[in-house]
Amino acid sequence: MAYEQDQEQKEFNEKVVKIDRVAKVVKGGRRFSFNALTVVGDSKGKVGIGFGKANEVPDAIRKSIESAKKNLVKIQFRGHTIPHEVIGKFKSARVILKPSTAGTGIIAGGSVRSVVEKVGIQDVLSKSWGSSNPVNIVKATLDALQQLETPVLAARKRGISLARLFGNDVG
């Protein structure tokens, strides 16, 4: 059982997006602690984000990685890019993701890039506006990725054939 968990742990790679020092003002002065935001993914369509708080940086990172592994989601994409354009929203942050041709690479800022890389998408264009807070940007990116659906999935959801979905079926 422990061996299976070790194998599961090894297949995920982590990326620390942001580490922040925060202060709590108490009677005797300031108490400092740390927040860490991490993204965990297997580059095959699974990704999770986590947030951890602790008095030391390594503990905060460890907690956030554990949190991210508990919150894994499966993303629908095929090949090297996403199937269609999508806009993700979280609070005041907006992120737009657009498919691109092979070889374009990931055209994205740091927070969006972290999530998209960990999912396994190789070619995508993005733009974020509104909030520049990395936590909100990461959550908006995850929202956008969760909205993705392949043509087969879209046709099945609507109860029509693929030909009808693409307008090739008359009737």
Side-chain angles (χ1 to χ4, degrees):
M1 181 87 177
Y3 177 71
E4 290 176 18
Q5 284 182 335
D6 290 341
Q7 289 295 341
E8 187 178 311
Q9 301 294 330
K10 288 180 184 175
E11 69 183 49
F12 292 111
N13 36 358
E14 306 98 14
K15 170 88 169 137
V16 177
V17 178
K18 178 185 177 187
I19 297 174
D20 219 0
R21 185 178 83 161
V22 293
K24 176 182 182 182
V25 179
V26 293
K27 188 176 178 182
R30 293 187 184 101
R31 290 228 176 112
F32 294 105
S33 63
F34 296 91
N35 297 336
L37 174 66
T38 57
V39 178
V40 172
D42 65 352
S43 299
K44 298 174 191 165
K46 281 188 181 175
V47 69
I49 59 173
F51 195 71
K53 303 174 189 175
N55 290 331
E56 301 294 329
V57 174
D59 292 336
I61 292 172
R62 181 185 46 77
K63 285 181 179 181
S64 66
I65 290 171
E66 289 172 7
S67 171
K69 287 182 180 176
K70 289 178 187 173
N71 299 318
L72 289 173
V73 292
K74 181 81 174 133
I75 304 300
Q76 297 290 329
F77 75 100
R78 187 166 302 186
H80 58 86
T81 190
I82 58 177
H84 56 86
E85 184 176 312
V86 65
I87 297 176
K89 300 174 185 173
F90 184 78
K91 295 192 177 183
S92 66
R94 304 286 183 265
V95 173
I96 187 168
L97 299 175
K98 291 183 179 182
S100 63
T101 58
T104 303
I106 300 171
I107 310 296
S111 302
V112 176
R113 176 182 295 271
S114 300
V115 178
V116 173
E117 280 178 348
K118 297 306 171 204
V119 171
I121 297 169
Q122 298 167 356
D123 301 300
V124 71
L125 302 170
S126 76
K127 172 70 179 147
S128 62
W129 68 96
S131 172
S132 61
N133 181 344
V135 177
N136 291 347
I137 295 290
V138 166
K139 288 186 177 185
T141 304
L142 193 63
D143 176 55
L145 291 171
Q146 287 178 314
Q147 293 175 34
L148 293 174
E149 53 185 33
T150 60
V152 175
L153 190 67
R156 192 177 306 139
K157 189 189 273 187
R158 297 179 197 184
I160 58 176
S161 67
L162 269 175
R164 179 94 188 255
L165 180 71
F166 287 111
N168 298 336
D169 189 24
V170 180

